Amino acid sequence: MSFSKIAILLPFLGCVEGFVLPFPPVPAGVSSSFSVRSDGRHLHLRPALKTAAGASSVDISSVKTDSITGPTTLGPLPPLEGFDGKAGSSPALTTNNQGGVWVPQMARPRRNRKSETLRAMVRENIVLPRNFIYPLFIHEERYETEIPSMPGQKRFSLAGMMAEVAESLQFGVKTFVLFPKVEDRLKTNDGREAYNPAGIVPRAIAMIKDRFPDVTVMTDVALDPYSDQGHDGIVLNGKIINDETIEQLCKQAVCQARAGADIVAPSDMMDGRVGALRRALDSEGFTDVSIMSYTAKYASAYYGPFRDALDSHPGFGDKKTYQQDPANGREALLEAALDAAEGADFLMVKPGMPYLDVILRLKQATNLPIAAYHVSGEYAMLKAAAERGWLNEKDVVLETMTCFKRAGCDIILSYYAKMASKWMIEDGLI
Ligand code: PBG
């Protein structure tokens, strides 16, 4: 029994009429009030706690204290020469009616933390499996391939993807985002494979929706998996050209919507793509297909393992002419205002952990739901530390997910979606 349970139980038992506690009388020389210490707290058993048997107090030594660590009574503390906190004309500390040391104060925030019941009662944020979107890598092979920089994540065959979806559903994860590894021979500068109706993504969407109509399928809208340049858009004279890229993205999104996608998520960062996608979808009758915009997507070094997974490292240069500068926070508000005006249904911040301030800013600036992408590099960092035994993986993952909620996220994209949900359920946290 834990100390806090004893602390709650004792006053309760003392109040039950006719209930005789088998406590022995107080030994001579022992005060009728006990000062019991556990991790720095005091429990004073006052005379008011008299038992029905008339004992003036309770001998704590008769209570089972198997899990109490440290001393259960606190004698006089060793003095510090030249300092007595209770002496002098303006003492630093004082003494309460029971003779114990007292730092007078009314508010004690620790009271609301004293038991798991109270902590749970006042908990401000809780992550649920339904808040997750689970990214799945897929390829045309008939087998699964491990991704060395993302231990535990795989590139799935379509059959393997179906099994992963089915397993995740058991833990309450119902939304998935698909990322394809496209064969090199299909890659072009204009990324036309992105809107091949017989391509891997449209087939994967149709398979999932056919077997699990209630699953929400989200797709990535960008050309990089299909680009022989390794960029999110069409390259011309070493530049990523905006408007021509958007024309391709519109075809890609309409193709995905035709296959059954519920949400399309442009991750390309071209200017004006959300409005163009909205019009393209609407003009084809897909007014119900949602847009989750990668609103504040930063030119981040945290995407490395993802690019390993899809073999989609930029062929030249970097993505800094379209993705945001990690140094900028205010600029995210500009992107957010545009995306909202252009008809985005959700705004996303990416990466996640190092950008919690951006999440909060967006949350405060808009009434749209906010998502964060806990990206591949963040996953890899936690995995690497956990594998070395430097971090407790479950604890650090659940804390991380809760931090996203606290920062203002409604939705979390994470490679940990399935595992975190499983842990939450197994540990009775939800
Ligand atoms: C590409 C895309 C990237 C990610 C999602 N979509 C990589 C990039 O922009 O280079 C990264 C996701 C992750 O790192 O987990 N459009």
Side-chain angles (χ1 to χ4, degrees):
M1 184 183 268
S2 73
F3 174 76
S4 57
K5 280 185 192 148
I6 296 171
I8 289 172
L9 204 61
L10 280 173
F12 174 71
L13 291 179
C15 294
V16 176
E17 228 173 293
F19 189 92
V20 181
L21 290 172
F23 294 135
V26 182
V30 175
S31 154
S32 65
S33 76
F34 283 72
S35 184
V36 182
R37 180 166 179 244
S38 173
D39 55 47
R41 293 234 228 161
H42 299 78
L43 172 65
H44 298 287
L45 301 173
R46 291 159 194 250
L49 282 184
K50 272 186 183 167
T51 65
S56 59
S57 191
V58 172
D59 179 358
I60 202 77
S61 68
S62 69
V63 179
K64 265 191 102 192
T65 58
D66 39 322
S67 68
I68 295 180
T69 53
T72 53
T73 59
L74 187 63
L77 295 170
L80 169 67
E81 211 174 316
F83 172 76
D84 180 349
K86 290 176 217 148
S89 56
S90 95
L93 310 166
T94 185
T95 304
N96 67 12
N97 291 344
Q98 312 302 318
V101 66
W102 180 31
V103 180
Q105 54 192 307
M106 303 303 276
R108 287 183 187 256
R110 286 185 56 185
R111 276 196 288 266
N112 282 352
R113 300 177 201 140
K114 71 183 163 203
S115 67
E116 179 48 29
T117 300
L118 277 185
R119 288 192 294 273
M121 191 181 280
V122 301
R123 188 160 293 139
E124 297 173 38
N125 293 289
I126 179 160
V127 181
L128 297 169
R130 69 176 82 123
N131 299 123
F132 285 125
I133 299 179
Y134 187 13
L136 299 177
F137 299 113
I138 53 176
H139 64 185
E140 290 284 10
E141 313 300 341
R142 292 180 172 276
Y143 47 83
E144 272 65 68
T145 306
E146 303 284 339
I147 302 163
S149 50
M150 299 180 73
Q153 298 299 311
K154 296 172 185 147
R155 281 198 300 264
F156 289 107
S157 64
L158 293 185
M161 171 195 76
M162 293 301 282
E164 188 70 4
V165 169
E167 192 187 339
S168 305
L169 284 172
Q170 312 236 309
F171 304 117
V173 178
K174 297 178 184 167
T175 305
F176 303 85
V177 56
L178 304 177
F179 292 104
K181 180 177 188 306
V182 176
E183 295 163 75
D184 279 345
R185 63 183 177 85
L186 297 173
K187 295 186 181 183
T188 56
N189 185 18
D190 60 17
R192 63 186 62 186
E193 177 63 13
Y195 48 90
N196 174 3
I200 183 169
V201 168
R203 277 184 287 124
I205 300 168
M207 271 178 87
I208 297 174
K209 295 300 286 189
D210 188 47
R211 172 128 157 250
F212 304 110
D214 295 335
V215 160
T216 297
V217 179
M218 183 162 108
T219 52
D220 190 56
V221 179
L223 298 185
D224 52 319
Y226 312 91
S227 163
D228 62 3
Q229 310 288 310
H231 275 284
D232 289 22
I234 301 173
V235 179
L236 186 64
N237 298 327
K239 292 199 168 121
I240 289 69
I241 50 175
N242 196 87
D243 298 18
E244 293 81 352
T245 295
I246 290 181
E247 183 181 354
Q248 296 298 78
L249 301 180
C250 287
K251 295 174 198 164
Q252 181 180 22
V254 167
C255 175
Q256 293 166 344
R258 284 180 182 160
D262 301 285
I263 307 173
V264 297
S267 66
D268 57 291
M269 289 301 279
M270 298 299 118
D271 289 336
R273 91 282 208 207
V274 170
L277 289 175
R278 185 70 275 158
R279 277 190 296 278
L281 291 168
D282 290 356
S283 66
E284 289 300 298
F286 295 114
T287 51
D288 276 351
V289 172
S290 316
I291 298 179
M292 180 177 291
S293 179
Y294 286 65
T295 295
K297 177 172 177 180
Y298 286 89
S300 171
Y302 285 99
Y303 307 149
F306 175 98
R307 294 174 187 170
D308 294 344
L310 297 189
D311 191 17
S312 64
H313 288 272
F316 66 89
D318 50 43
K319 299 193 175 183
K320 291 180 185 170
T321 67
Y322 44 108
Q323 299 178 348
Q324 270 187 239
D325 185 338
N328 296 353
R330 214 155 44 108
E331 193 181 353
L333 298 175
L334 175 63
E335 292 282 1
L338 289 168
D339 284 353
E342 291 174 31
D345 299 289
F346 318 84
L347 306 182
M348 192 206 293
V349 175
K350 178 184 175 190
M353 274 203 289
Y355 295 83
L356 293 184
D357 58 315
V358 180
I359 293 168
L360 179 60
R361 286 201 208 195
L362 257 54
K363 184 72 170 192
Q364 289 168 341
T366 173
N367 291 322
L368 290 171
I370 304 292
Y373 200 142
H374 184 241
V375 300
S376 57
E378 302 176 68
Y379 175 88
M381 289 196 304
L382 296 186
K383 271 284 172 195
E387 278 182 357
R388 285 163 179 73
W390 293 346
L391 288 175
N392 178 316
E393 186 178 24
K394 189 202 289 186
D395 290 348
V396 80
V397 167
L398 295 181
E399 177 182 333
T400 301
M401 299 304 149
T402 305
C403 293
F404 283 125
K405 268 269 170 136
R406 192 200 62 236
C409 281
D410 305 283
I411 301 161
I412 304 161
L413 288 84
S414 176
Y415 302 99
Y416 273 116
K418 182 184 81 175
M419 282 311 295
S421 301
K422 186 166 181 271
W423 288 329
M424 290 189 283
I425 291 165
E426 283 172 357
D427 289 3
L429 297 174
I430 51 170

